[in-house]
Amino acid sequence: MHPFAYVAPSTVAEAVAVLDKHGDRARPLAGGTDLLVKARANVWELDAVVDIKNIPELMKLSVSNDGLSIGAGVPCYQIYDNSQIAAEYPGIVDGASIIGGIQIQSRAGVGGNLCNAAPSGDGICPLIIHSAVAKIASTGGTREVAVEDFCTGPSRTVLKAGELLVSIEVPKPAANSGAAYTRFIPRNEMDIAVAGVGVFVQLDASGKNFVSARIALASVGPVPILAKEAGNSLAGKPVNDETIATAAALAKAAASPITDMRGTIEQRKTLVEVLTGRMIKQAVERARG
Amino acid sequence: MTTNSPSKVHVTTTINGQKHELLVPGYMSLLDTLRELIGLTGTKEGCLDGNCGACTVNVNGRIVDSCLVLGAEINGKEVNTIEGMATSEGLHPLQQAFLEEAALQCGICTPGFLVAAKGLLDNEPSPSEGRIRHWLAGNLCRCTGYDKIVRAVQKASS
């Protein structure tokens, strides 16, 4: 591992100043569960790591009428241990609960999961279906990017050298809505998704018809995929096996997986169809309360 | 802001109830800090990438893989390792149960399993078998096949 300096600033301004100075030879440190593995494997050669966990803004987790705000350094366990988040954002809790084991969840968070930009990142699809927005800071100011546009390729994001993810802002879900995320893995825990599917649905007051839906797919493309047509196909339609099967088939069509050691193209596409159907049903169940 | 020379970070920490002041290289893992700087070699190195849990320690009440934490990060924190489990009174109930249930063979994974299991029982004294298996999913054992480990944790549960 290339020897790097450890810096622990207490403000965003100090953090982005250090990141700006070192360019791509510095990285923010949140849980470290990807960073230290990559540094050790010499994927990244770093001169400095910037520990963001002493910056209050990046460790803030708040849920209110305005929505959910997840600081970039908030670890998974704080998300799934929060009963209000579990009640209002169960899809986000589904994802946070299956990233690594308990040791990893003590440190890793959805902010780091997003910045790591693995196509299989279980924390990302739940944010996409909720139309979440990433708040980014740099020495030049701040900007916002929709989470669905954040990842640009495996391990690549819109973040430029010197930029820092500050928080993820999730709008408050509409009434009669529900969300769910799951993945297929050959084990029970501690594995990387062969395929993953997240679904958000909003139903009408009767609970019998879809108002809108968003469907996102993990591990079946170079980045997590927002399957727009699949979600849109449900808008205004009744909740029944036929409409759900149509959306699942469109999700399958939106998947563009590769064959690798975890699974084949055919298996992954089939998984997307099956899991999409299941997650729509689960999101509907949750929407109906 | 804590800006240090590229080499060393000044760290004040409590390990197994004892206060330590250390100068830690910025890139040194907590695992190496414990083993190399402090001489606490009970915590084992396994995979070095967060899969095996052999290096599990407890930081501020949460179990973590010490290979994926920097020594510099424990400044102001409380760390508990396998060396802190037994007291002058004797073994911790989990350690006794591991012996009685023969929940170890080669022993490399055992400190990690014990620290992880303690992290569970400290907060949930009577977990179900399913909960124990889920909690310990981040710890790998290549000898026992897990059943004996799970039985030992059940035995130490109240």
Side-chain angles (χ1 to χ4, degrees):
Chain A
M1 186 156 64
H2 183 75
F4 52 74
Y6 170 86
V7 189
S10 54
T11 66
V12 170
E14 290 169 315
V16 294
V18 178
L19 291 170
D20 190 62
K21 183 179 148 201
H22 290 280
D24 60 6
R25 295 186 66 84
R27 292 271 175 174
L29 169 67
T33 57
D34 289 306
L35 183 147
L36 293 178
V37 174
K38 286 183 172 174
R40 203 169 268 139
N42 295 316
V43 175
W44 290 341
E45 197 181 281
L46 302 175
D47 294 329
V49 304
V50 181
D51 187 349
I52 59 165
K53 295 188 294 299
N54 295 316
I55 307 173
E57 205 179 336
L58 275 76
M59 297 309 290
K60 204 174 114 192
L61 179 64
S62 74
V63 54
S64 71
N65 276 338
D66 298 332
L68 169 65
S69 178
I70 307 171
V74 172
C76 287
Y77 82 90
Q78 288 185 11
I79 293 172
Y80 64 66
D81 274 357
N82 184 309
S83 54
Q84 198 182 346
I85 297 175
E88 294 182 26
Y89 304 87
I92 290 174
V93 167
D94 287 342
S97 307
I98 57 174
I99 295 173
I102 305 296
Q103 288 93 330
I104 299 296
Q105 291 160 8
S106 294
R107 300 260 299 163
V110 299
N113 198 232
L114 178 59
C115 292
N116 191 54
S120 56
D122 292 307
I124 304 173
C125 285
L127 300 174
I128 291 176
I129 59 176
H130 274 284
S131 306
V133 170
K135 278 178 71 177
I136 298 164
S138 68
T139 52
T142 60
R143 66 178 178 128
E144 297 190 346
V145 174
V147 170
E148 67 207 58
D149 300 324
F150 193 89
C151 301
T152 55
S155 305
R156 290 209 311 270
T157 70
V158 295
L159 289 179
K160 300 183 200 108
E163 282 191 319
L164 174 69
L165 177 70
V166 174
S167 65
I168 297 158
E169 306 296 329
V170 190
K172 189 173 172 65
N176 306 311
S177 68
Y181 174 83
T182 196
R183 68 180 176 196
F184 174 81
I185 54 172
R187 303 176 63 197
N188 289 327
E189 299 98 354
M190 290 288 289
D191 209 345
I192 293 169
V194 179
V197 176
V199 174
F200 173 90
V201 301
Q202 185 192 351
L203 307 180
D204 65 9
S206 76
K208 290 180 180 160
N209 303 291
F210 293 104
V211 172
S212 67
R214 279 168 75 86
I215 298 172
L217 317 174
S219 229
V220 289
V223 295
I225 295 167
L226 173 63
K228 274 188 192 154
E229 281 182 47
N232 290 345
S233 76
L234 293 170
K237 297 278 167 52
V239 177
N240 61 39
D241 288 348
E242 197 189 329
T243 57
I244 292 171
T246 302
L250 287 167
K252 181 184 183 182
S256 60
I258 55 169
T259 292
D260 66 10
M261 62 189 252
R262 293 203 172 77
T264 62
I265 290 171
E266 293 76 12
Q267 182 195 16
R268 286 182 150 126
K269 286 185 82 83
T270 302
L271 281 168
V272 165
E273 185 168 25
V274 172
L275 297 179
T276 300
R278 286 184 195 167
M279 288 305 97
I280 293 173
K281 286 174 187 167
Q282 191 170 350
V284 165
E285 214 168 279
R286 286 173 172 173
R288 287 170 176 168
Chain B
M1 169 158 66
T2 325
T3 313
N4 295 280
S5 68
S7 47
K8 307 239 169 137
V9 182
H10 181 240
V11 169
T12 306
T13 181
T14 305
I15 300 172
N16 300 327
Q18 276 197 314
K19 208 169 169 191
H20 288 263
E21 272 199 54
L22 309 161
L23 280 174
V24 185
Y27 54 90
M28 184 180 264
S29 69
L30 173 56
L31 172 63
D32 285 347
T33 303
L34 291 168
R35 290 182 58 89
E36 310 294 330
L37 292 189
I38 305 172
L40 292 173
T41 54
T43 304
K44 302 305 180 196
E45 176 181 312
C47 65
L48 278 183
D49 64 13
N51 272 290
C52 80
C55 66
T56 301
V57 301
N58 192 306
V59 178
N60 279 9
R62 294 287 314 183
I63 56 167
V64 298
D65 293 321
S66 60
C67 74
L68 297 183
V69 179
L70 294 174
E73 290 184 78
I74 62 166
N75 188 35
K77 302 223 160 69
E78 235 173 80
V79 180
N80 282 286
T81 71
I82 185 64
E83 286 89 347
M85 272 184 81
T87 63
S88 52
E89 317 278 293
L91 294 178
H92 185 278
L94 273 164
Q95 292 172 309
Q96 191 60 41
F98 267 59
L99 280 179
E100 289 168 8
E101 293 295 322
L104 67 156
Q105 288 180 35
C106 87
I108 278 284
C109 71
T110 311
F113 267 102
L114 284 166
V115 172
K118 183 173 185 296
L120 174 62
L121 297 189
D122 283 350
N123 295 305
E124 301 173 39
S126 315
S128 66
E129 183 189 336
R131 177 67 174 152
I132 293 168
R133 287 185 183 274
H134 176 76
W135 185 273
L136 296 177
N139 293 79
L140 298 182
C141 171
R142 303 285 80 165
C143 307
T144 67
Y146 303 102
D147 280 350
K148 292 171 170 182
I149 292 170
V150 173
R151 278 205 294 276
V153 178
Q154 285 176 304
K155 189 170 192 172
S157 308
S158 57

